[in-house]
Amino acid sequence: KAGVTQTPRYLIKTRGQQVTLSCSPISGHRSVSWYQQTPGQGLQFLFEYFSETQRNKGNFPGRFSGRQFSNSRSEMNVSTLELGDSALYLCASSLEGQGSEQYFGPGTRLTVT
Amino acid sequence: EDQVTQSPEALRLQEGESSSLNCSYTVSGLRGLFWYRQDPGKGPEFLFTLYSAGEEKEKERLKATLTKKESFLHITAPKPEDSATYLCAVQAESNYQLIWGAGTKLIIKP
């Protein structure tokens, strides 16, 4: 079966701009979680959506937001970009959520200059 | 505070040289412990879930074990293709979201 896809794979933005990242989960998976990965902080949980509802949220500022559509595809948005937002953003889909086997996409590499 | 610590940060082995990676955790009640493998430029790939002390799971050259304070990922006779970063994550009973360790970078030399 097709895996998790994320678009775009690479992105370069300027401070102050906003960005939208997209994630298409595995067919049949209703849970989509977003993570930020940096060399210094490792994997950090952003939020999880399940059947179009945000079920859990990590400790990130309100500039980070997301949504999930009826077909389970998800988007995350970062407004007013800061240099520290440069990271690999990973999306993971699963049947039941973080407590079950998660399938990760390849990630979107965001660079903020 | 819930915490996950992985050691060592990096491990270099010769092909065929068995070893173990450690994941120590401090949580108020364990719901589950997860092992993932991450190759450069890719997202993590699920390996195992362990739920209770004494539980063991195996997959090819990998074997994961769990005690009340830590988990070990044993690698038997590794091959160069086992080279990757191995991540451990814990889900506490009191907190739904996963807490991730920093990972162990494993390098297997032919």
Side-chain angles (χ1 to χ4, degrees):
Chain A
K1 56 185 174 182
V4 178
T5 58
Q6 291 187 246
T7 57
R9 291 293 312 279
Y10 302 93
L11 207 49
I12 299 175
K13 289 287 188 179
T14 304
R15 271 183 304 175
Q17 288 186 315
Q18 75 166 17
V19 66
T20 299
L21 311 181
S22 180
C23 171
S24 292
I26 291 172
S27 178
H29 286 188
R30 294 185 294 168
S31 168
V32 173
S33 294
W34 287 90
Y35 297 88
Q36 181 193 69
Q37 187 174 38
T38 59
Q41 298 294 322
L43 263 169
Q44 292 190 290
F45 171 72
L46 282 157
F47 29 67
E48 181 202 355
Y49 286 86
F50 188 90
S51 295
E52 301 180 67
T53 301
Q54 187 180 85
R55 187 156 72 171
N56 206 7
K57 190 177 188 310
N59 297 323
F60 278 82
R63 299 186 296 109
F64 292 82
S65 62
R67 59 178 175 169
Q68 187 180 32
F69 303 96
S70 58
N71 61 358
S72 291
R73 190 177 70 85
S74 178
E75 289 182 347
M76 68 163 279
N77 183 276
V78 188
S79 62
T80 319
L81 284 166
E82 300 177 359
L83 294 178
D85 296 333
S86 294
L88 180 67
Y89 289 88
L90 292 161
C91 149
S93 82
S94 65
L95 287 171
E96 299 295 334
Q98 292 184 72
S100 61
E101 181 176 344
Q102 294 186 86
Y103 295 82
F104 283 80
T108 294
R109 173 73 63 185
L110 172 65
T111 301
V112 182
T113 62
Chain B
E1 182 186 350
D2 297 337
Q3 200 169 345
V4 177
T5 304
Q6 291 188 248
S7 61
E9 287 186 18
L11 182 62
R12 296 173 186 268
L13 300 171
Q14 288 294 135
E15 184 174 0
E17 181 184 0
S18 302
S19 188
S20 298
L21 312 182
N22 179 266
C23 172
S24 298
Y25 62 91
T26 306
V27 294
S28 50
L30 178 70
R31 186 189 296 266
L33 185 143
F34 305 83
W35 282 99
Y36 283 81
R37 164 196 171 126
Q38 186 172 23
D39 293 297
K42 295 187 177 181
E45 176 188 345
F46 173 81
L47 292 173
F48 305 108
T49 307
L50 301 167
Y51 294 104
S52 56
E55 189 175 359
E56 298 182 351
K57 288 196 176 170
E58 289 187 67
K59 179 180 180 180
E60 296 180 356
R61 296 176 291 281
L62 300 176
K63 178 180 178 181
T65 62
L66 180 65
T67 72
K68 289 187 177 179
K69 294 183 178 180
E70 58 192 349
S71 176
F72 291 94
L73 186 64
H74 306 279
I75 301 176
T76 303
K79 299 181 178 181
E81 52 262 43
D82 294 322
S83 297
T85 295
Y86 289 84
L87 299 166
C88 167
V90 163
Q91 187 180 42
E93 289 180 346
S94 60
N95 190 350
Y96 176 82
Q97 69 185 63
L98 294 182
I99 305 163
W100 293 81
T104 293
K105 184 174 183 178
L106 178 65
I107 299 170
I108 308 298
K109 299 183 228 178

